Amino acid sequence: MDASVMETFAEILREELIPAMGCTEPIAIALCAAKLRRLLGCAPERVTALLSGNIIKNVKSVVVPNTDGRKGICPAIAAGMVAGDPEKGLLVIASLPSERLPELDAFLERTPVEVRCSGSTCKLDIDLTAVAGAHRARVRIAGQHTNVIYMERDGEILRNEPVPQTVEEHGADRSKLNVADILRFADETPLDALAPLLERQIAYNSDIAREGLNGVWGAQIGRILLEDYGDDVKQRAKAYAAAGSDARMSGCEKPVVILSGSGNQGITACMPVVVYAEHIGATREQLYRALLVSDLITIHQKRGIGRLSAYCGAISAGVGAGAGICYLLGGGYEAVSHTVVNAVAILSGTICDGAKPSCAAKIAAAVDAGILGYRMYLHHREFCRGEGIVGGSVDATIANVGVLAQQGMRQTDATIMEIMQG
């Protein structure tokens, strides 16, 4: 494999596999608020939040971790303002102690927070302004959850970058991703540099999955799957992925390693592969290489879809997991390609109506589709070109999904927002 392409794929993984606590959209708001408080230099008297529709959608119904069950935009802003550490990225409120929780309520009681939908064409857009006496500051994050594009204090512009239209504008070139090269990379890349990233993904996401199964979190989808559907490897794969989301969506304070900006996608691409690896007694190297397939095929799909969309990202990660399991069990290019195309054809179009407990159930369905896609291949069955959105190759089918999500579901996104806002 070309060395420059191999390095690009490795850099993509370094950019994507990062730790975060809680749902990444409220955490990104908390991060923006923490940076704003530091820039302002004091507690604000009022705050204005201009947020893209997809940010509002993904924050409305999810618990902000370390806030004792508080949900939504204003608690996320308050947590960042009161106790956020802007140097910690998506772990910005990981150190918020329980004794400081009354300060969040006090902040919101004394500080008016105006929230408006910005109508931004960038689906991940957080624009916060704070005023205190004669001082005024503004911070804007767009494109990715930690990407600060604008900073201003008292009329002095400290940073002013264009709104990114693609992740590649400030990262590794994801246009190089294709299924054939992803498999070559998984086969050939040295693991010394990537093993710590993958080991952290396994450790963090396994930990929160176990918490979701053992604790009382969300709708307890993971536990229901094991209790009612049996304990075979397929059900465990679905259950562990769903359980991680059960805990995460309901405010569990354990960090996860995210993928494509999403903890749910990071868990979904990881845990089914881990479960299957344990089931067959795979070596650590085999598990790592299968995770490379799952992670990169998930990212490959999300490149066309975008960070936030009306298209449920768990579906992409479930498809990636199916591909990773196929590779782990000895599948090559043909097997992985058929697995991806079959799985995509099963659940494409599943809507994202925000981050919330029901994400865990969608994750279970996504993993089921990924595994079914592989089982279809083993039975010499496949969905063919011209059947719905299935294209002439695996990469063409993935491209069709991007068109569906970005163009075909624009009105769907607007309608979801109208319904969610009553």
Side-chain angles (χ1 to χ4, degrees):
M1 186 178 183
D2 182 88
S4 65
V5 175
M6 189 175 288
E7 176 54 31
T8 296
F9 285 15
E11 183 60 27
I12 290 169
L13 290 164
R14 287 190 287 267
E15 292 172 1
E16 296 279 5
L17 296 175
I18 60 175
M21 173 184 281
C23 178
T24 46
E25 280 70 58
I27 293 301
I29 289 178
L31 176 61
C32 193
K35 289 181 177 293
L36 181 62
R37 168 66 187 264
R38 176 171 290 185
L39 188 62
L40 185 65
C42 60
E45 296 171 2
R46 65 180 185 274
V47 177
T48 300
L50 296 177
L51 308 175
S52 59
N54 275 264
I55 290 291
I56 294 172
K57 179 179 73 175
N58 277 6
V59 179
K60 179 177 180 290
S61 301
V62 72
V63 173
V64 182
N66 272 343
T67 65
D68 194 28
R70 293 162 174 82
K71 291 183 179 180
I73 295 166
C74 291
I77 291 173
M81 284 279 183
V82 169
D85 183 346
E87 303 303 321
K88 291 186 176 181
L90 295 179
L91 298 174
V92 56
I93 56 171
S95 301
L96 200 165
S98 58
E99 57 267 23
R100 299 198 65 181
L101 291 179
E103 295 180 47
L104 272 62
D105 297 326
F107 174 89
L108 292 174
E109 286 175 6
R110 69 174 183 267
T111 311
V113 178
E114 181 186 6
V115 179
R116 301 201 306 267
C117 185
S118 65
S120 172
T121 58
C122 179
K123 293 186 177 182
L124 198 166
D125 200 333
I126 301 165
D127 193 341
L128 302 184
T129 300
V131 174
H135 299 292
R136 180 181 182 275
R138 178 186 170 200
V139 176
R140 186 179 181 187
I141 289 175
Q144 292 198 64
H145 295 80
T146 59
N147 184 41
V148 177
I149 66 166
Y150 189 88
M151 298 178 70
E152 177 187 344
R153 185 178 190 277
D154 293 340
E156 180 184 2
I157 297 174
L158 305 174
R159 177 178 297 176
N160 188 11
E161 299 175 2
V163 177
Q165 299 303 311
T166 65
V167 176
E168 290 90 337
E169 289 183 28
H170 48 80
D173 184 3
R174 286 151 177 80
S175 69
K176 294 183 181 295
L177 291 170
N178 62 81
V179 172
D181 278 344
I182 287 171
L183 295 181
R184 291 189 192 99
F185 177 79
D187 287 341
E188 299 174 16
T189 189
L191 291 174
D192 291 349
L194 293 174
L197 290 176
L198 299 170
E199 194 59 46
R200 184 172 63 181
Q201 183 183 24
I202 295 165
Y204 282 23
N205 296 354
S206 296
D207 193 26
I208 199 168
R210 287 189 292 266
E211 176 64 27
L213 288 172
N214 296 327
V216 182
W217 296 101
Q220 299 181 59
I221 300 300
R223 183 180 294 178
I224 290 170
L225 285 167
L226 291 184
E227 290 180 355
D228 286 17
Y229 291 86
D231 192 24
D232 65 20
V233 64
K234 176 181 173 181
Q235 297 305 328
R236 288 200 304 277
K238 293 162 58 177
Y240 273 76
S245 180
D246 281 327
R248 182 173 169 270
M249 292 291 94
S250 296
C252 179
E253 296 163 6
K254 292 181 180 294
V256 302
V257 169
I258 67 175
L259 190 67
S260 295
S262 164
N264 278 350
Q265 290 170 56
I267 294 166
T268 305
C270 173
M271 291 314 302
V273 182
V274 171
V275 168
Y276 267 82
E278 292 175 351
H279 178 72
I280 67 171
T283 66
R284 215 58 173 175
E285 178 177 348
Q286 288 172 318
L287 172 55
Y288 289 160
R289 294 190 184 281
L291 278 176
L292 293 176
V293 172
S294 180
D295 288 341
L296 287 171
I297 286 183
T298 299
I299 297 165
H300 182 23
Q301 295 169 81
K302 288 293 291 183
R303 178 178 174 266
I305 295 167
R307 277 291 198 258
L308 299 178
S309 169
Y311 185 102
C312 176
I315 304 305
S316 301
V319 172
I325 291 167
C326 172
Y327 179 88
L328 180 71
L329 298 178
Y333 176 76
E334 180 182 2
V336 169
S337 295
H338 283 296
T339 297
V340 170
V341 170
N342 290 338
V344 162
I346 292 168
L347 280 183
S348 285
T350 301
I351 65 164
C352 172
D353 52 344
K356 63 212 172 304
S358 69
C359 291
K362 293 183 180 182
I363 285 170
V367 174
D368 187 85
I371 296 171
L372 177 56
Y374 172 56
R375 300 303 302 181
M376 286 177 61
Y377 166 77
L378 294 179
H379 286 271
H380 308 290
R381 296 291 183 267
E382 62 178 306
F383 299 118
C384 300
R385 179 178 185 175
E387 296 179 354
I389 64 169
V390 176
S393 69
V394 60
D395 294 300
T397 302
I398 289 172
N400 288 345
V401 171
V403 174
L404 169 68
Q406 283 293 326
Q407 300 180 26
M409 299 183 79
R410 286 176 184 166
Q411 185 55 48
T412 301
D413 219 9
T415 302
I416 289 170
M417 283 296 301
E418 290 174 7
I419 292 171
M420 289 181 67
Q421 296 182 82

